[in-house]
Amino acid sequence: MKERYDVLIVGGGHAGAQAAIALRQRKFSGSIAIVGDEVDPPYERPPLSKEYLSGDKPFERILIRPATFWREREIALLTGQVVTTVNPDAHLVQTDGGAAFGYGNLIWAAGGAPRRLACSGHDLNGVHSVRTRADVDRLMGELDLTERVCVVGGGYIGLEAAAVISKFGKSVTVLEAQDRVLARVAGAALSRFYEAEHRAHGVDVRLGVTVDCLEGKAGRVTGVRLADGTVVPCEMVIVGIGIIPSVVPLSVAGAVGANGVLVDEYCQTSLPDVYAIGDCAAHRNRFANDAVLRVESVQNANDMAVVAARAIVGDPERYDAVPWFWSNQYDLRLQTIGLSIGHDEIVVRGATTNRSFSVIYLRQGRVIALDCVNATKDYVGGRALVLDGTIAAPTALADLDIPLKDLVNRTPVAVVA
Ligand code: FAD
């Protein structure tokens, strides 16, 4: 006999957990289950490349809620099960273990799987990704036997891992195919700053290099061969080259989408009673000049979860949240607000040499995003500028004597003659 839940959530990450929490906060009294392929209860992912990897936070401290929370709220956690098929007509999903669950509404919150290297040697022992607790536990278990680590990919996760592992006294090389780190998400000023910081901490940052293959001996990685024939010797490789959204069962069931599942402003997919939220959900975002994209952040996961929950309880509100993000590397706290996609001008506020500055992105004169390094006041003031779509003079934005909040546009008062 199959079980049926009024709301079935696939994926027990940030988005899935928050959807269940938001439903109960909005007095939803129907049955809720979260089916997740990981064995652990929902936990925070960002610490995996930060405080959990460094050992500063044990697993219990990165749980999204204590175990008792789910029981008390009658949210069933069906862990260790992979949903393999969705039947939208029958309102039914099936798992790899042969279980079937019926649903009233389905919330697809399956995130993404780390993109793997396609070259030979990608499956050698010692090659890791950083997406789940199990990934990080495996990696940490090998660190004692490791002197040299190659990080493939100079995005946030790769750089955060490089910062933590270099602090352990390991020799770390970052291999980035583009001519700067963080090229996909930030302007050159921020990239150059982080490259210099990593080098100052002893990390060998190599730009514009392509991985040809991974070399190994007795099934274990021994080095990374680059396209120019150079071999970087190492005992461990960490691959941080992005994710592939986990949407196959939904796509096979007919959900519209290309890069992820397409959702409307209420996080509804093209399938009846099926929502998609978080990293796997492609949506039109006004902070990206109305481009359709996926946003990979805790903010997006949590805010989309609330939107889906509100739609389900009959109190709909459109998704219109301003994107924000953070990254910790060494003693640097980066806080990002807005999306810099499509910027045509950059203003650097403060001196990067002070290790406290902001990079401000403008499109057609309007402030669309900020990357604030050890500059929380700019982040707070900048948030108002982004929300407001403020048009501001670059000289004013760069002037440290003018708090950013003072530049927020004021609606002109109509003068009556
Ligand atoms: P996930 O958290 O990935 O959860 C999806 C869950 O669904 C996973 O448990 C997955 O295993 C499961 N699943 C997938 N397919 C199935 C299936 N078929 N059946 C059952 N279960 C399935 N964001 C920030 O804002 N700030 C940060 O500093 C930051 N740092 C990060 C550091 C790391 C190492 C990582 C990996 C991510 C980081 N992020 C950060 C991104 C952020 O964690 C993600 O955007 C967020 O976790 C997305 O939530 P989600 O619920 O959509 O996906």
Side-chain angles (χ1 to χ4, degrees):
M1 198 181 71
K2 70 176 162 53
E3 291 165 50
R4 183 191 177 280
Y5 294 92
D6 294 315
V7 176
L8 185 72
I9 300 168
V10 178
H14 279 275
Q18 184 57 43
I21 294 167
L23 281 165
R24 287 294 186 240
Q25 278 172 344
R26 281 165 182 75
K27 311 289 177 222
F28 180 78
S29 58
S31 54
I32 305 175
I34 301 177
V35 195
D37 60 3
E38 294 187 65
V39 292
D40 294 305
Y43 60 89
E44 295 169 22
R45 232 163 270 285
L48 294 181
S49 51
K50 307 177 182 74
E51 306 92 327
Y52 185 70
L53 179 60
S54 66
D56 290 328
K57 269 193 185 175
F59 185 66
E60 296 64 42
R61 284 190 52 209
I62 67 169
L63 287 173
I64 288 178
R65 290 289 189 277
T68 47
F69 175 91
W70 308 105
R71 274 198 303 276
E72 285 165 7
R73 306 293 187 292
E74 294 186 53
I75 297 165
L77 294 184
L78 311 172
T79 54
Q81 307 193 49
V82 184
V83 171
T84 49
T85 56
V86 176
N87 182 335
D89 296 329
H91 279 47
L92 193 75
V93 306
Q94 275 178 314
T95 70
D96 57 343
F101 301 108
Y103 62 82
N105 284 287
L106 180 70
I107 302 181
W108 191 264
R115 193 180 291 280
R116 315 231 169 243
L117 289 172
C119 61
S120 70
H122 69 93
D123 51 356
L124 286 164
N125 289 327
V127 180
H128 297 272
S129 42
V130 183
R131 182 75 193 176
T132 63
R133 177 203 188 182
D135 290 341
V136 177
D137 285 352
R138 249 190 317 270
L139 184 164
M140 288 160 90
E142 293 178 14
L143 271 178
D144 281 351
L145 305 168
T146 303
E147 279 309 311
R148 296 162 300 183
V149 178
C150 269
V151 176
V152 180
Y156 283 123
I157 291 175
L159 292 180
E160 288 180 349
V164 171
I165 289 172
S166 70
K167 275 208 263 182
F168 290 151
K170 312 289 177 194
S171 152
V172 180
T173 304
V174 172
L175 303 170
E176 168 55 51
Q178 307 234 31
D179 61 358
R180 59 188 179 89
V181 299
L182 302 175
R184 208 168 52 90
V185 288
L190 199 79
S191 305
R192 298 300 174 225
F193 172 77
Y194 275 104
E195 287 158 13
E197 280 291 327
H198 280 275
R199 287 178 174 137
H201 283 86
V203 174
D204 179 2
V205 180
R206 302 196 195 180
L207 305 170
V209 292
T210 314
V211 173
D212 178 46
C213 67
L214 304 189
E215 296 192 338
K217 201 172 163 193
R220 223 188 145 75
V221 72
T222 56
V224 180
R225 179 177 287 276
L226 304 177
D228 67 2
T230 315
V231 176
V232 187
C234 60
E235 295 80 42
M236 179 182 284
V237 172
I238 297 175
V239 182
I241 53 172
I243 61 164
I244 298 171
S246 299
V247 294
V248 170
L250 266 199
S251 305
V252 169
V256 172
N259 173 23
V261 172
L262 188 65
V263 296
D264 66 10
E265 60 271 49
Y266 300 105
C267 295
Q268 265 165 330
T269 69
S270 58
L271 300 175
D273 305 320
V274 180
Y275 297 78
I277 57 176
D279 281 11
C280 66
H283 61 281
R284 197 169 295 283
N285 194 305
R286 88 167 158 103
F287 295 97
N289 211 14
D290 278 341
V292 173
L293 41 69
R294 293 185 303 102
V295 175
E296 295 170 17
S297 72
V298 170
Q299 167 277 316
N300 178 66
N302 285 342
D303 288 334
M304 280 192 147
V306 172
V307 168
R310 289 186 65 150
I312 288 170
V313 300
D315 176 27
E317 192 182 63
R318 292 165 193 269
Y319 182 67
D320 189 35
V322 60
W324 56 265
F325 187 84
W326 76 97
S327 172
N328 300 342
Q329 296 168 49
Y330 309 110
D331 58 345
L332 302 165
R333 169 110 174 134
L334 170 74
Q335 293 167 290
T336 288
I337 189 88
L339 296 171
S340 61
I341 296 162
H343 67 267
D344 51 28
E345 192 170 0
I346 287 180
V347 175
V348 179
R349 178 179 166 89
T352 54
T353 45
N354 291 343
R355 305 176 83 245
S356 168
F357 65 97
S358 298
V359 181
I360 305 176
Y361 302 86
L362 297 102
R363 186 172 54 232
Q364 295 173 343
R366 281 184 198 283
V367 176
I368 56 166
L370 291 92
D371 288 326
C372 307
V373 177
N374 291 344
T376 298
K377 264 194 191 153
D378 283 359
Y379 172 75
V380 174
R383 183 188 170 86
L385 300 184
V386 171
L387 271 170
D388 187 69
T390 293
I391 295 181
T395 45
L397 290 168
D399 188 341
L400 290 175
D401 290 331
I402 306 176
L404 288 181
K405 66 177 172 40
D406 289 0
L407 297 174
V408 177
N409 279 339
R410 306 262 177 260
T411 311
V413 178
V415 179
V416 181

